[in-house]
Amino acid sequence: MRWFTLILVLLLSALQYRLWFGKHSIVEYRQMKQEVEQQRMQNANLIQRNALLKADIQDLKIGLDAIEERARNELGLIKRGETFYRILPQ
């Protein structure tokens, strides 16, 4: 009976060691869970960015207003007969 108890205690100790410090341990599980959460947040940001880009593409395909706005903001273009004023901070 004493040997049986000793074997069970050793087996329990080995299993506990593996649970806390071995491969696929609780510590590793928590780290992996944190990485998954970070990846989910990154994916959500990318999904939002993609939606904005899709909307921008639709605007460019449909109307000239979006093209004109982009030309003004990014390229600094102005229409004929317009006067461009730049206000600089002091």
Side-chain angles (χ1 to χ4, degrees), residues 29-67:
Y29 167 75
R30 288 181 181 161
Q31 289 173 347
M32 198 62 90
K33 192 174 179 181
Q34 196 173 36
E35 289 177 19
V36 166
E37 188 58 36
Q38 288 175 350
Q39 189 65 44
R40 281 188 183 146
M41 290 174 57
Q42 186 178 7
N43 287 348
N45 289 339
L46 290 174
I47 288 170
Q48 183 180 12
R49 188 182 123 227
N50 286 346
L52 291 173
L53 288 173
K54 284 179 184 178
D56 199 21
I57 289 170
Q58 282 299 97
D59 284 346
L60 290 173
K61 284 182 179 179
I62 293 173
L64 294 176
D65 292 335
I67 295 171

